[in-house]
């Protein structure tokens, strides 16, 4: 996993907050201290850490959570927001437009990961249907061409290189022109970068760039150097403000968080992140998704659902009615309100041990609109009809549809789903699943 260490300490921090029954000022302050510790350990710049903690603290304490969102939930969202902000917010765009030759020239100091990243980008583009090719303009390092040859074979893309040549500018130009002529859309140029400091590197970059006129110059920085990656990115960004950045070696590096945040702070767009040695270990950089993953949850939706799951409670009698099939449409309405806050029904039922049954897809994916429609229908029914929906004849259905401003089809659909719920509940009993265990399972869901 990317940034394993940072991820696990951030997850601990979030879990700690989620375990609290309520979030007060002391809890927020402790959260902020935990965040600071986690970020500083990942080599994130002290000033960035201070800025982030101040924002988290003041937002968590001062902002009023929106209706339906608890303070705890809100605090988690604030952390999520601010971490994404630290890494740049906007998702990267593909650096290649279809149907035209896009030349991407990679630069960066030796060992940063250029050659590997060049092959990864070619593979990435080829996999997305672009005609991709590689050009080797590293004439300095012995074995550079052989290395790229091997990687190009793994990526299954053509490579242009010249054995024993000495003029990188001329080779780059010949390679790029050949692939341009042949209609390639993603032409990735690998360069040498034997310079130890940025000045010399940028000078060589200028010469090759002048010759091949790349659409993008992409700096490859080594994520394991932490904050120092920001220094390289800054020099580069000042020289070519349109340039893009790839951060390599983010797998298993404790300092990757520092590298990413430092590069993001420079304002240079991070397009790719490298997460391993193989050609497929490359991702388009999307800060929001990335932070979601760091926090150990798929995305913000998942995160909020989780918090809600932990918070919802349902009275015991209702849970019992639900489990024994002794429920009315009125109960259904009420439970729908509760269940809705838990997220997709299917997910909840999966949590109950020993249980698998089929609910109609629409009942599982209860959307906001559907919920409103069903609510209107149930409210248009008489108390008798709600308790005993079996009496719903076509004339009753017609009346309810008209009264609720819905269609007869929708009324029938609701009745069908209700029946499915009841059957499901009954099947629980038939299978004589230990009721206590079920209750416990429901209790664990906050049905206590
Ligand atoms: N773990 C890991 N290793 C990488 C990654 N990118 C490159 N490397 C390794 O870093 C070393 C230097 O990479 P190379 O592409 O030759 O760097 P260059 O000198 O800039 O061309 C090689 O051993 C690569 O396998 C990455 O994302 N993850
Ligand atoms: Mg190289």
């Amino acid at each position: 996993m990317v940034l394993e260490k940072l991820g696990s300490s951030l997850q601990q921090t979030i879990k700690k907050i989620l375990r609290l029954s309520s979030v007060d000022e002391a809890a927020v302050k402790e959260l902020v201290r935990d965040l600071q510790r986690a970020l500083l350990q990942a080599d994130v710049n002290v000033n960035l850490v201070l800025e982030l903690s101040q924002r988290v603290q003041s937002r968590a304490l001062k902002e009023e959570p929106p209706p339906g969102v608890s303070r705890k939930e809100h605090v988690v969202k604030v952390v999520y927001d601010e971490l994404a902000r630290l890494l740049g917010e906007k998702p990267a765009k593909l650096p290649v437009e279809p149907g035209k030759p896009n030349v991407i020239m990679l630069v960066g100091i030796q060992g940063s990961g250029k050659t590997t990243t060049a092959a990864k980008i070619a593979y990435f583009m080829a996999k997305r249907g672009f005609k991709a090719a590689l050009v080797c303009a590293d004439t300095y390092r012995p074995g550079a061409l052989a290395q790229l040859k091997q990687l190009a074979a793994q990526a299954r893309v053509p490579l242009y290189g010249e054995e024993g040549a000495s003029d990188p500018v001329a080779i780059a130009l010949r390679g790029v022109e050949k692939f341009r002529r042949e209609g390639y859309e993603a032409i990735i140029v690998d360069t040498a970068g034997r310079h130890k400091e940025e000045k010399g590197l940028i000078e060589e970059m200028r010469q090759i760039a002048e010759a091949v006129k790349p659409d993008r110059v992409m700096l490859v920085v080594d994520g394991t150097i932490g904050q120092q990656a920001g220094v390289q990115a800054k020099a580069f960004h000042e020289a070519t403000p349109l340039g893009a950045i790839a951060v390599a070696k983010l797998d298993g590096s404790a300092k990757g968080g520092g590298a990413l945040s430092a590069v993001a702070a420079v304002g240079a767009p991070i397009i790719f992140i490298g997460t391993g040695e193989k050609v497929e270990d490359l991702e388009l950089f999307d800060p929001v998704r990335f932070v979601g993953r760091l926090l150990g949850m798929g995305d913000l939706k998942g995160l909020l659902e989780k918090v809600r799951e932990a918070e919802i409670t349902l009275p015991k009698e209702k849970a019992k009615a639900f489990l024994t099939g002794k429920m009315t449409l009125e109960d259904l309405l009420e439970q729908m309100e509760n269940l809705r806050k838990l997220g997709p029904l299917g997910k909840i039922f999966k949590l109950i041990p020993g249980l698998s049954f089929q609910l109609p897809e629409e009942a599982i994916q209860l959307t906001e609109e559907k919920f409103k429609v069903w609510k209107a229908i149930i409210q248009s029914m008489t108390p008798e009809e709600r308790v005993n929906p079996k009496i719903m004849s076509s004339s009753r259905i017609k009346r309810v549809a008209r009264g609720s401003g819905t269609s007869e089809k929708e009324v029938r659909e609701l009745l069908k789903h209700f029946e499915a719920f009841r059957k499901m509940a009954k099947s629980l009993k038939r299978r004589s699943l230990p009721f206590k265990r079920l209750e416990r399972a429901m209790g664990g869901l906050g049905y206590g």
Side-chain angles (χ1 to χ4, degrees):
M1 192 240 172
V2 191
L3 303 185
E4 218 151 320
K5 238 176 142 183
L6 176 61
S8 73
S9 49
L10 288 176
Q11 282 167 38
Q12 289 307 319
T13 306
I14 296 294
K15 277 200 190 117
K16 205 157 142 190
I17 278 282
L18 290 177
R19 270 199 300 268
L20 299 174
S21 53
S22 69
V23 176
D24 56 9
E25 189 169 339
V28 168
K29 288 201 166 135
E30 195 178 332
L31 162 81
V32 166
R33 274 195 303 275
D34 287 345
L35 272 176
Q36 288 176 339
R37 207 171 301 128
L39 293 171
L40 288 173
Q41 270 170 10
D43 196 39
V44 176
N45 179 278
V46 183
N47 292 325
L48 292 178
V49 174
L50 285 179
E51 204 179 298
L52 175 131
S53 23
Q54 269 157 17
R55 288 184 57 91
V56 168
Q57 180 156 333
S58 84
R59 286 189 58 193
L61 292 175
K62 286 187 199 132
E63 279 180 16
E64 212 36 63
V69 174
S70 72
R71 183 155 297 276
K72 196 158 85 179
E73 216 172 3
H74 181 245
V75 168
V76 173
K77 185 178 182 297
V78 165
V79 171
Y80 186 99
D81 283 352
E82 293 301 329
L83 284 171
R85 210 178 124 90
L86 179 74
L87 298 183
E89 280 176 296
K90 279 203 208 109
K93 283 205 208 81
L94 267 188
V96 170
E97 283 169 52
K100 68 179 266 274
N102 301 265
V103 178
I104 301 175
M105 181 180 136
L106 297 193
V107 299
I109 61 170
Q110 190 153 328
S112 60
K114 282 181 307 303
T115 305
T116 315
T117 306
K120 286 175 175 180
I121 295 174
Y123 177 80
F124 185 95
M125 292 303 166
K127 233 177 79 187
R128 279 157 184 78
F130 291 92
K131 260 186 98 175
L134 284 161
V135 175
C136 176
D138 180 353
T139 53
Y140 299 93
R141 216 185 101 184
L145 183 58
Q147 184 197 5
L148 194 55
K149 243 182 200 155
Q150 198 176 22
L151 288 164
Q154 281 163 25
R156 284 184 225 99
V157 297
L159 163 72
Y160 183 88
E162 295 176 21
E163 213 74 58
S166 61
D167 183 356
V169 180
I171 296 179
L173 189 59
R174 279 196 288 273
V176 165
E177 284 191 333
K178 170 185 147 71
F179 288 128
R180 271 197 176 119
R181 266 196 315 274
E182 293 173 4
Y184 278 83
E185 296 164 294
I187 305 165
I188 320 297
V189 184
D190 181 27
T191 62
R194 74 229 127 93
H195 308 82
K196 280 276 168 267
E197 20 64 74
E198 293 83 39
K199 256 200 189 128
L201 172 70
I202 286 166
E203 189 40 47
E204 175 167 306
M205 178 185 93
R206 281 216 175 100
Q207 285 177 24
I208 299 183
E210 224 162 83
V212 306
K213 299 195 171 47
D215 299 271
R216 289 272 197 162
V217 179
M218 189 178 288
L219 177 74
V220 179
V221 291
D222 180 338
T224 62
I225 64 173
Q227 285 182 56
Q228 282 306 311
V231 178
Q232 284 179 25
K234 186 161 182 286
F236 168 75
H237 191 53
E238 276 162 7
T240 54
L242 289 176
I245 296 196
V247 182
K249 309 185 200 177
L250 279 179
D251 47 310
S253 158
K255 288 183 167 185
L260 277 178
S261 54
V263 173
V266 166
I270 303 173
I271 309 278
F272 289 116
I273 56 174
T275 58
E277 295 193 24
K278 295 201 212 77
V279 286
E280 63 265 28
D281 298 331
L282 184 80
E283 302 173 18
L284 260 189
F285 184 57
D286 179 346
V288 172
R289 273 193 45 216
F290 188 79
V291 167
R293 233 167 53 196
L294 276 185
L295 295 181
M297 339 245 175
D299 50 23
L300 185 58
K301 199 167 142 266
L303 174 85
L304 290 177
E305 258 169 30
K306 238 191 167 105
V307 187
R308 285 182 177 134
E309 275 176 23
E311 288 186 332
I312 294 274
T313 53
L314 193 71
K316 213 174 191 111
E317 324 84 73
K318 296 287 178 194
K320 213 164 213 154
F322 179 68
L323 285 174
T324 51
K326 275 188 215 119
M327 64 174 187
T328 66
L329 272 166
E330 229 152 302
D331 295 330
L332 178 68
L333 186 63
E334 196 183 319
Q335 289 185 10
M336 268 166 28
E337 295 249 29
N338 279 325
L339 290 172
R340 207 164 51 106
K341 295 178 200 152
L342 294 174
L345 284 177
K347 237 189 206 163
I348 297 152
F349 292 138
K350 276 201 200 93
L351 294 173
I352 303 177
L355 208 62
S356 72
F357 39 70
Q358 295 299 307
L359 268 184
E361 192 59 28
E362 304 97 289
I364 290 171
Q365 302 291 338
L366 190 57
T367 62
E368 198 67 24
E369 294 109 89
K370 186 121 270 166
F371 178 73
K372 278 190 191 138
V373 169
W374 287 8
K375 193 169 172 173
I377 293 172
I378 294 172
Q379 281 168 342
S380 290
M381 292 166 80
T382 65
E384 195 197 354
E385 287 166 348
R386 284 183 218 168
V387 173
N388 187 12
K390 282 215 171 62
I391 63 172
M392 291 300 288
S393 59
S394 14
S395 65
R396 283 178 191 257
I397 287 173
K398 202 172 273 175
R399 192 202 80 242
V400 168
R402 219 175 311 124
S404 58
T406 62
S407 69
E408 288 173 44
K409 188 168 156 260
E410 283 166 317
V411 177
R412 285 183 207 279
E413 188 187 79
L414 167 63
L415 293 172
K416 196 181 83 195
H417 289 324
F418 178 65
E419 201 42 42
F421 270 101
R422 281 243 324 262
K423 277 216 186 93
M424 169 201 94
K426 264 199 205 144
S427 84
L428 294 187
K429 267 196 97 182
R430 243 203 325 278
R431 285 186 217 186
S432 61
L433 284 166
F435 191 74
K436 278 276 170 267
R437 208 178 95 201
L438 268 178
E439 255 188 338
R440 264 204 309 278
M442 299 290 268
L445 285 173
Y447 281 82

